[in-house]
DNA sequence: CGGGTGGAGTGAATCGTTTTAATTTGGAAG
DNA sequence: CTTCCAAATTAAAACGATTCACTCCACCCG
């Protein structure tokens, strides 16, 4: 277990440990000749800086903690990728935690990040974590909430306007002439789900002549979508909606499968279907799925940027960044169309 | 920035710092009364252990580094989830790095992990990293290769028998009577791709009467799959294969879309299609995709287990664990069938 | 009654870097 | 020929938990 320390490097280069440290961190403060000599020594000895010692002395780490709700959801992995790219650019790395929508796991990750004295925390919250975030802040660790506005604006957040997104989705369904609309989603405790529903409700109420039915599901997964689909198939044909707004693309995918395969329902002729998130698989589904696109990677990048600003200047005021979502109309609502639409071709398939 | 240290805790509890440390790490060595007193003090002061200091003194960290090829690929996120669960159980956390099939990023992550003196490294390698892994080992940091056997057996690895998987896929296509088989995949430098192709080749050669065509693509993505699909559609009907083995499910998804939507090809009647990885979206596609299932989460769990063993006993010999893949026949090869097959119902759809 | 035993607790040394104040050096300015 | 300054470098003091070699002390046993 050869452990090469700055001391060894200093000895070989014939300088002091302080100089080695300067070469590592502020090379401009050291004469070029010395820099070279030190680098040679580092090379020769295979020295690698011990991050724990650095962090202990200098107080803060080069890692950022990120807690997301579900690694299985491409929306979140895209978001994570955004944070990773942005962080790497600034010389930081991301420690990714997956809370799996469990308060206990969420809490465990916050504990871990606190022990590690991470540079900052990004979190797409599940439970009520304001007290935890406050405590982190009092320790000098800033936090930014992602994919949700923070409760009382005491923390910065980067999110997408889910109410507008829900409105947009419902309006699209109304625009193509549908009137019996169903919202499939849940649990409503998840803020995003409730917002999307409220947006849809608003659109439909202000339209007149259209109805909205809520079909609750237990989780935002493909399996739950299938299950909801089976319930719909079981209905008499005339009892079915003529359009469905699914709370996210995983649910929409599940619906798509059971409705088409097992229900012989034609999409979009019998039922138009729109999802939410615009994950890469949405545009690649056999009936390409209309969806509400969120700038997932951008959310991550922005969140990192804000976090780093707050870290370097703790007195900056919390900011709420809200992006607007965007409609991606595809075959599942508008059927096959001549390839000439505005967005044709710019779908980013799997990145 | 209130910084509460063991010293403060010790003072309040009326004990020495050594005792506080013992309470934290070896509570059984301390009398119950003292344990309680110390815990009270910790509570009162809001003390949180500084991990950097702990690590500096005790030498090793509680974090495991994981480098994967592509976060956008559900196979790898499932694998990551497996490592995370397994690590959490043992009190470790995972630092996830995404190399994006770039040697430079892979290398940057290994640097980072080396500086952090992580407890161990798990890696699904892209470039030739044996020298790097050797160096890590010489520093006392063990490494386990995932999703690939290691080059010379000098490192432990956990993988799946891709040759057998390829053979299995091709045999399935032969079993349902197909004879003009195409393999769509690439680049062949990726070992897994080459192995799958070789397996298929072996099956077809030993069958007689069947042919294998290789259709190369530049990457294992949905977009590349679509592109390959377009090329197939452009062919005269009789020049097309009657079955396709795609190197992974992302490619299969892309193929599925163009063949069905734009080529009016019937799956599986005109062309049978089988993928690889059995990602959650495979079974949820509108024409559910036959695939070769790999135990992705299990690979991750096993890798963590082996890694921790090697970390605690550096003299243990490297082991190569090779799991066998499993065929999941679905509609894309066998069409719609009465629900009675062996595996019906046990598909894990998106968890 | 004395020596031995072991559980509980102590406190100083330690890990490897960064940082600070202090020191040297080579010139430029007076 | 001083004097003074900035740049380059140094030596030593942190940072905060863990560890290790000890000290106590109570208790048991012959």
């Amino acid at each position: 277990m050869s452990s090469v320390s700055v001391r060894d490097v200093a000895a070989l280069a014939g300088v002091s440990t302080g100089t080695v440290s300067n070469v590592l961190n502020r090379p401009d403060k050291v004469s070029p000749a010395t820099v070279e000599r030190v680098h040679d020594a580092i090379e020769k000895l295979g020295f690698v800086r011990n991050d724990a010692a650095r962090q202990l002395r200098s107080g803060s780490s080069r890692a950022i903690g990120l807690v997301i709700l579900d690694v299985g959801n491409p929306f979140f992995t895209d978001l994570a990728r955004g944070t990773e790219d942005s962080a790497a650019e600034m010389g930081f790395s991301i420690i990714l935690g997956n809370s799996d929508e469990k308060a206990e796991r969420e809490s465990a990750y916050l504990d871990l990040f606190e022990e590690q004295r991470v540079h900052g925390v990004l979190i797409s919250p599940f439970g009520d974590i304001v007290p935890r975030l406050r405590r982190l802040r009092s320790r000098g660790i800033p936090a930014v909430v992602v994919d949700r506005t923070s409760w009382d604006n005491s923390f910065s957040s980067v999110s997408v306007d889910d109410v507008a997104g829900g409105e947009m989705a419902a309006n699209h369904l109304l625009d193509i002439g549908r009137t019996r609309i169903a919202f499939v989603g849940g649990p409503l405790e998840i803020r995003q789900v409730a917002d999307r529903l409220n947006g849809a409700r608003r659109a439909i109420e202000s339209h007149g002549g259209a109805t909205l039915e809520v079909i609750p599901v237990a989780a935002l997964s493909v399996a739950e979508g299938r299950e909801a689909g089976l319930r719909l198939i079981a209905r008499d044909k005339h009892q079915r909606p003529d359009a469905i707004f699914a709370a996210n693309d995983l649910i929409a995918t599940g619906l798509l499968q059971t409705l088409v395969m097992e229900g012989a329902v034609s999409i979009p002729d019998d039922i138009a279907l729109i999802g939410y998130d615009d994950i890469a698989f949405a545009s690649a589904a056999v009936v390409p799925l209309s969806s509400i696109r969120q700038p997932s990677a951008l959310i991550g990048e922005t969140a990192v940027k804000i976090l780093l600003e707050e870290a370097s200047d703790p007195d900056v005021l919390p900011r709420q960044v809200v992006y607007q979502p965007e409609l991606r109309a595809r075959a599942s609502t508008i059927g096959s169309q001549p390839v000439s639409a505005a967005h044709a071709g710019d779908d980013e398939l799997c990145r």
Side-chain angles (χ1 to χ4, degrees), chain A residues 66 69 91-92 108 145 156 158 213-214 220 243-244 266 268 270 278 339:
Chain A
L66 167 65
L69 287 175
F92 289 85
V145 174
S156 287
V158 181
E213 174 192 7
V214 176
L220 297 171
I244 298 177
S266 165
D270 299 336
D278 194 32
V339 185

Side-chain angles (χ1 to χ4, degrees), chain A residues 14-311:
Chain A
V15 297
S16 74
T17 64
T19 299
V20 175
S21 175
N22 280 334
V23 169
L24 257 31
N25 303 301
R26 284 174 294 279
D28 48 307
K29 297 275 167 208
V30 182
S31 77
T34 312
V35 170
E36 191 181 354
R37 216 148 22 98
V38 171
H39 274 145
D40 285 354
I42 287 176
E43 192 72 21
K44 209 156 288 167
L45 296 173
F47 166 79
V48 173
R49 185 219 270 87
N50 182 325
D51 196 57
R54 178 241 276 268
Q55 188 177 324
L56 172 59
R57 177 62 237 227
S58 65
S60 112
S61 108
R62 307 288 295 171
I64 293 171
L66 167 65
V67 186
I68 62 177
L69 287 175
D70 179 11
V71 264
N73 185 335
F75 169 73
F76 285 110
T77 55
D78 286 351
L79 190 154
R81 182 191 287 264
T83 63
E84 195 194 14
D85 289 346
S86 188
E89 218 166 80
M90 318 283 283
F92 289 85
S93 59
I94 297 283
I95 306 180
L96 178 63
N98 173 217
S99 70
D100 245 344
E101 307 189 357
K102 296 200 183 78
E104 157 215 335
R105 291 190 59 151
E106 178 173 64
S107 180
Y109 272 110
L110 290 175
D111 284 345
L112 178 72
F113 293 157
E114 199 171 347
E115 285 197 359
Q116 308 222 117
R117 304 290 195 269
V118 293
H119 204 81
V121 169
L122 301 172
I123 182 164
S124 78
F126 177 70
D128 175 20
I129 48 165
V130 173
R132 300 296 311 264
L133 298 189
R134 261 193 235 295
R135 174 162 143 182
L136 284 170
R137 174 182 282 171
S138 77
R139 279 211 156 67
I141 301 177
V144 171
V145 174
V146 293
D147 193 37
R148 183 158 162 184
T149 53
S150 78
W151 304 259
D152 53 0
N153 292 353
S154 61
F155 289 90
S156 287
S157 70
V158 181
S159 60
V160 173
D161 187 342
D162 279 310
V163 177
E167 205 170 352
M168 199 175 276
N171 275 331
H172 176 59
L173 296 176
L174 294 169
D175 283 349
I176 59 172
R178 309 296 165 126
T179 54
R180 301 193 315 283
I181 296 174
F183 174 86
V184 180
L188 288 175
E189 286 78 48
I190 297 185
R191 164 80 160 276
Q192 287 88 326
V193 176
D195 281 357
R196 288 167 199 178
L197 173 57
N198 285 334
R201 192 168 273 148
R202 191 202 289 172
I204 285 159
E205 278 168 3
S206 77
H207 179 86
T211 59
L212 179 67
E213 174 192 7
V214 176
I215 300 178
V217 298
L220 297 171
S221 65
V222 176
E224 285 290 327
R226 287 171 61 112
E227 219 272 305
L230 292 177
R231 273 182 281 153
L232 278 172
I233 291 173
R235 290 189 191 178
D236 184 86
K237 260 198 172 155
H238 306 287
Q239 302 289 317
R240 295 181 191 160
D242 62 6
I244 298 177
F245 171 26
N248 80 353
D249 284 350
L250 299 183
I251 288 186
T253 303
L255 285 167
L256 202 57
Q257 181 173 21
T258 45
L259 292 180
V260 173
M261 287 292 293
E262 287 161 47
V265 172
S266 165
I267 306 274
D269 297 336
D270 299 336
I271 299 180
L273 175 63
I274 186 167
Y276 207 106
D277 283 350
D278 194 32
I279 63 178
F281 292 96
S283 62
V286 172
V287 179
L289 190 63
S290 297
S291 197
I292 302 296
R293 155 158 267 203
Q294 311 197 64
S296 35
L298 180 59
I299 295 173
E301 288 163 23
T302 308
V304 168
K305 225 164 285 171
I306 293 181
L307 187 74
L308 293 182
E309 280 170 27
E310 294 198 354

